[in-house]
Structure formats: structure tokens, C-alpha cells
């Protein structure tokens, strides 16, 4: 049985050891999670160092997916509002106080921001749980994970080195230096509203860029809380800007950020379809772009695998944030010899998951984010049913918990004409495919245009090296279901994106190399 304490221990590996320190405060935190006087809760956007509304006065409501409660309203900004943010970021970039800032100075400001995030971790987590629906323990874990990017890039800011290259000519000196590209437009998703902002913004700021952040319309309050702490940390006005909008204006804002001559780089995390659109829009300006897009992660269990480790890895990979993560296991490929045992034991564990409002202690599975996502999950499972698949457990909505809850589900006997076989479900559904040989498993795993993450479990050392090399994904978990780490390069191949975030390579998205040739030097 997977009880809360086991999930927490697994989560601590994913987020890092700092997560453990948050566990002792979870019970107290639960009591005050929805307290209305959270000092970080903001109702306005943050532009050029000021808290402002939309010029039209329009707002939109932010709802708690667990119960439909309206948490507050934030500005519904349009192109004109966002242009003000772009102008502010552009002007701030060229202000002497920022353009000529030293790496040490930027590092110090990021360290201030990190310290304030650590101090306010519970307040940030309460906002995150309220607007995203994820359990409190996951929100606290994400705060630790997200904060770690600010700490990491505060340190990396002072390691953005240039190069001196031996010249082929005696009287020349060749030097290469790295410089910030300028204003970075950051478009972030709802499912990790803290970590996806810090992973992008901290890297951009460390490099010397300024940023305009557009959080997802479902979870703007976490972004505004981070802006409040950035203000307190002492960043110059215009360096960090956060604009909010409903879906109504999302497309025009994305088009503006991609088309503006004042924006030098775009970083987007979200669906492949939207990423392709932004990529096309950036082409006219030959703009720097980083894309972290959808996945369709295979989770392969070979006959030599340690069954307990594979089951734990499956639970950790699949059910974090109710299955709504881009690197969540999507297609479970189980070898014939262990298929029945794996499915039986997985179903047993899944049936014992605690479902409910994430603000309550012990809850492991919260709601889906919105009605569109619930409808998609229902449609995928129904499609499989109608085409002959077997629903081993779950497969139903849970109205007793709320309008957006769906049972953790296991579907077996999948075939290649089913949506669950071919597309990312982004929900708490385990889609099981039986295979016979390693070659067959690799063919199925690689038979998709997505290539973000993949997982496999095997105790055959030769097989481990073969499969790791042949699996067509940017990231591979080998006998491990939780792979995210600040120190590792996060990103995919194929249609899952371009560029890398986190690690020392995260800086590369926000700098360009300038080649300096010093000629006619006296010898």
C-alpha cells in the first residue's frame, strides 16, 4: 500500500533534500492553507515596478479547481497593456544600472529573491494549491524545486565565461565573450506555476536579460506572488514584469511577444501545437526561441526489472499532479512475462490512492485543472472502451469530490487505433501495451513525433546501455521514475521542443557569443 509518507519520501528525491524540511509543517499549514489574508496574494499585474490593472479595467476570475471557488480577480490585459510591459523591459535593459550590472550584482539580487522565496514557502504553496489543485505536499515540493533554480542561476551568473583562442596569426588575439540577448518573453504553463517561471526567469536574469512573464490564465496568482517577492528583493524597475490575461487575449499577446522588435528571445512551455505557432511567428524576426513542448513518454518494464522499483517508479511518474505533467509516463509497455503481475499489483496500489481537495492532509490525487481537460480524459478512455480495450480500474468521474475529479484509471489491451495509444492523455490514466521483444518495445516507444522523456526498468546491464542509447527522447529515466533536477538539462527532441532549461546549459538560451579579433598587435 502506498501511504502518504511513502509518496512524500519519493517526492523528496525529485525536489531535493530541502523538501524534507517542509514536511514537519504540513499539518499546521493545512489549517491555514486557504487563509484569505495571505500577504502574497495580489490582484494586479506588475509592470515597470508598479502594480497596475488593465487600461480597460477588465478582469477575469481565478478559480479553485477543487471546488469551483473564486479565489480572486486579476487584470485581463490586451496587446496595448503588454506593449507597456515590453517597453518597460526594453528600457530597463538599456539603463546603465542594468545593462552594465556585474555578474556579482545580478547574483546578489537573485540570492535575495531566493531567500525571500524560502522565507515565504508556505504562503507560495498555499496559493499554488488553491489555484492549481495539486496536493499541498506537492506544492511545497515544487516551491523547493522552483527555488533551487533561483539559487542555481544566482551561482551560475558568475560563471558565464568567455574564451581566449590561440590565433593562427602571430600578431592577433582571438577572444569570444558572452552577452545577454535583451528582453526575454516567458510564456509559462499552469501545471508548475512556480518552477517553470523560476527555471526561465532566473536563467535570463543571471545572463543580464530583462523579462516579460505571461503566466497561464489558470494560475496567475503564483506568478504575481513571485513578482511581489522580486519587488522586495530589490530588482530595478522593468527588469521583471508579469502580465495577466484570460484566454480571450492569449493569442494576440503571444503574437505581440513573438513579433516585437524589442523582444529578443521567447521561451515557451506548453503544448506542441501552440509551440509550433509561436515558432512560426518568431521566424520573421529570426528571434531566439526555446520550446519545451508536449510529451508522450514511454514507460517500459522488461522481464528482468525489479518489480517493486518499477511499480514505485510508475506511481511516481504517472500520478504526480494527477498525471498532468509533460514528462508523465503516458504509454506503459510491459513485457509479456511480467505483464499480468505488473498490472495486478499496479491496480492494487492505485485503488488505495487518497483522492480529494489538495488542501487536506494526506490527499495524493487532486482534480484536473479545468473542464476541457476532464472532457479530454473522458473522451480518450471512452474511445479505448469502444474499440475493445479493458478498463481494469477507474474510468469514471467522481462528482462526490467535485466537478473536475476523475478516477485513477488503468486501461489494458490497447491497440494502435486508439487515442490512448497514440496521444498524450495528460491525466490519471495508465495505458498498458503488452510487448514480446526489446525490438518491439523500442519500435512502439519511438513510433511517435514526440520525444521529451522516456523511462525503462531493467536489471540487464547490456540491455540498459542498448535501450538508453536507442530510446529517442531528450531525457531517460533508467530504473527511476522521478528525473527532474536543477542540475540536469531539461528538454526534448523531435516535436517536443528545442533548447534546454536548467543545468549550466540553461544560460545558453539567453546569451550570444561575440567574437573579438584584435589585430596588428606588436610582438
Amino acid at each position: 500500500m502506498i501511504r502518504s509518507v511513502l509518496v512524500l519520501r519519493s517526492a523528496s528525491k525529485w525536489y531535493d533534500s530541502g523538501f524534507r524540511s517542509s514536511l514537519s509543517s504540513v499539518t499546521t499549514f493545512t489549517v491555514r492553507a486557504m487563509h484569505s489574508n495571505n500577504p502574497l496574494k495580489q490582484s494586479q499585474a506588475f509592470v515597470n515596478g508598479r502594480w497596475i490593472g488593465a487600461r480597460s479595467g477588465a478582469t477575469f476570475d481565478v478559480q479553485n479547481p477543487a471546488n469551483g471557488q473564486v479565489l480572486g480577480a486579476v487584470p485581463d490585459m490586451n496587446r496595448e497593456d503588454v506593449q507597456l510591459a515590453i517597453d518597460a523591459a526594453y528600457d530597463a535593459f538599456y539603463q546603465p544600472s542594468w545593462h552594465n550590472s556585474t555578474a556579482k550584482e545580478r547574483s546578489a539580487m537573485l540570492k535575495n529573491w531566493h531567500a525571500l522565496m524560502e522565507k515565504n514557502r508556505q504562503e507560495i504553496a498555499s496559493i499554488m494549491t488553491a489555484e492549481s489543485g495539486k496536493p499541498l505536499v506537492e506544492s511545497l515540493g515544487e516551491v523547493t524545486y522552483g527555488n533551487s533554480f533561483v539559487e542555481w542561476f544566482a551561482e551560475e551568473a558568475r560563471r558565464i565565461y568567455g574564451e581566449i583562442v590561440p590565433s593562427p596569426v602571430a600578431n592577433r588575439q582571438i577572444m569570444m565573450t558572452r552577452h545577454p540577448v535583451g528582453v526575454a518573453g516567458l510564456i509559462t504553463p499552469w501545471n508548475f506555476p512556480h518552477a517553470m517561471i523560476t527555471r526561465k526567469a532566473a536563467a535570463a536574469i543571471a545572463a543580464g536579460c530583462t523579462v516579460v512573464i505571461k503566466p497561464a490564465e489558470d494560475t496567475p496568482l503564483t506568478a504575481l506572488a513571485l513578482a511581489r517577492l522580486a519587488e522586495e528583493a530589490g530588482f530595478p524597475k522593468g527588469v521583471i514584469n508579469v502580465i495577466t490575461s484570460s484566454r480571450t487575449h492569449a493569442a494576440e499577446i503571444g503574437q505581440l511577444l513573438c513579433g516585437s522588435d524589442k523582444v529578443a528571445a521567447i521561451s515557451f512551455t506548453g503544448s506542441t501545437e501552440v509551440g509550433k505557432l509561436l515558432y512560426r511567428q518568431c521566424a520573421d524576426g529570426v528571434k531566439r526561441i526555446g520550446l519545451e513542448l508536449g510529451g508522450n513518454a514511454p514507460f517500459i518494464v522488461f522481464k528482468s526489472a525489479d518489480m517493486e522499483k518499477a511499480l514505485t517508479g510508475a506511481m511516481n511518474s504517472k500520478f504526480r499532479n494527477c498525471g498532468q505533467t509533460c514528462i508523465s509516463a503516458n504509454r506503459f509497455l510491459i513485457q509479456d512475462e511480467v505483464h499480468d503481475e505488473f498490472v495486478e499489483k499496479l491496480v492494487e496500489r492505485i485503488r488505495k490512492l487518497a483522492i480529494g481537495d489538495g488542501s487536506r492532509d494526506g490527499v495524493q490525487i487532486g482534480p484536473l485543472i479545468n473542464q476541457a481537460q476532464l472532457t479530454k480524459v473522458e473522451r480518450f478512455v471512452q474511445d479505448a472502451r469502444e474499440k475493445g480495450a479493458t478498463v481494469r480500474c477507474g474510468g469514471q468521474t467522481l462528482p462526490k469530490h467535485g466537478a473536475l475529479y476523475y478516477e485513477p484509471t488503468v486501461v489494458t489491451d490497447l491497440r494502435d487505433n486508439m487515442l490512448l495509444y497514440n496521444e498524450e492523455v495528460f491525466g490519471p490514466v495508465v495505458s498498458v501495451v503488452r510487448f514480446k521483444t526489446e525490438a518491439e518495445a523500442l519500435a512502439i516507444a519511438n513510433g511517435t513525433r514526440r520525444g521529451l522523456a522516456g523511462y525503462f526498468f531493467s536489471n540487464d546491464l547490456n540491455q540498459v546501455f542498448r535501450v538508453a542509447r536507442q530510446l529517442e527522447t531528450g531525457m531517460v529515466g533508467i530504473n527511476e521514475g522521478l528525473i527532474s533536477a536543477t542540475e540536469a538539462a531539461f528538454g526534448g527532441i523531435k516535436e517536443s521542443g528545442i533548447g534546454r532549461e536548467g543545468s549550466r546549459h540553461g544560460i545558453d538560451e539567453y546569451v550570444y557569443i561575440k567574437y573579438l579579433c584584435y589585430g596588428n598587435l606588436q610582438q
Side-chain angles (χ1 to χ4, degrees), residues 134-269:
K134 64 175 61 180
L136 279 171
V137 290
E138 286 195 27
S139 293
L140 283 165
E142 184 183 338
V143 170
T144 300
Y145 180 54
N147 290 1
S148 70
F149 286 110
V150 182
E151 181 182 41
W152 173 264
F153 286 113
E155 296 163 346
E156 285 296 294
R158 302 184 70 179
R159 292 192 284 268
I160 304 176
Y161 300 138
E163 301 173 55
I164 295 177
V165 179
S167 171
V169 180
N171 66 346
R172 291 182 186 173
Q173 177 75 64
I174 294 175
M175 182 183 298
M176 290 180 285
T177 56
R178 286 179 167 84
H179 300 264
V181 297
V183 177
L186 313 179
I187 305 174
T188 60
W190 66 266
N191 56 342
F192 290 94
H194 179 1
M196 296 304 95
I197 287 175
T198 55
R199 192 163 73 184
K200 297 175 190 296
I205 291 165
C209 295
T210 58
V211 298
V212 176
I213 302 167
K214 163 62 175 72
E217 56 274 2
D218 292 304
T219 56
L221 298 179
T222 302
L224 295 175
L226 298 182
R228 174 68 186 87
L229 295 177
E231 179 186 33
E232 189 176 340
F235 288 96
K237 67 178 186 178
V239 170
I240 297 177
N241 305 274
V242 178
I243 51 97
T244 58
S245 83
S246 67
R247 286 178 177 83
T248 303
H249 299 297
E252 67 183 62
I253 289 172
Q255 187 175 38
L256 175 62
L257 289 169
C258 291
S260 173
D261 290 339
K262 291 184 175 181
V263 177
I266 293 291
S267 180
F268 170 75
T269 297

Side-chain angles (χ1 to χ4, degrees), residues 350-397:
I350 287 172
R351 283 178 170 156
K352 295 173 181 176
L353 287 170
I355 303 168
D357 188 325
S359 66
R360 295 204 302 268
D361 190 23
V363 167
Q364 296 160 296
I365 299 289
L368 293 164
I369 187 61
N370 54 39
Q371 184 60 48
Q373 189 57 35
L374 178 68
T375 300
K376 177 185 177 182
V377 172
E378 287 186 294
R379 178 167 60 89
F380 275 39
V381 174
Q382 185 59 30
D383 170 80
R385 271 197 182 106
E386 291 173 354
K387 293 175 180 175
T390 303
V391 177
R392 294 293 303 271
C393 70
Q396 301 292 331
T397 57

Side-chain angles (χ1 to χ4, degrees), residues 301 307 310-311 314 332 334 338-346:
V301 180
M307 183 62 68
L311 289 165
F332 284 72
I334 315 300
V338 295
H339 176 278
D340 293 347
E341 179 188 3
F342 180 86
V343 171
E344 181 181 346
K345 290 183 176 180
L346 186 65

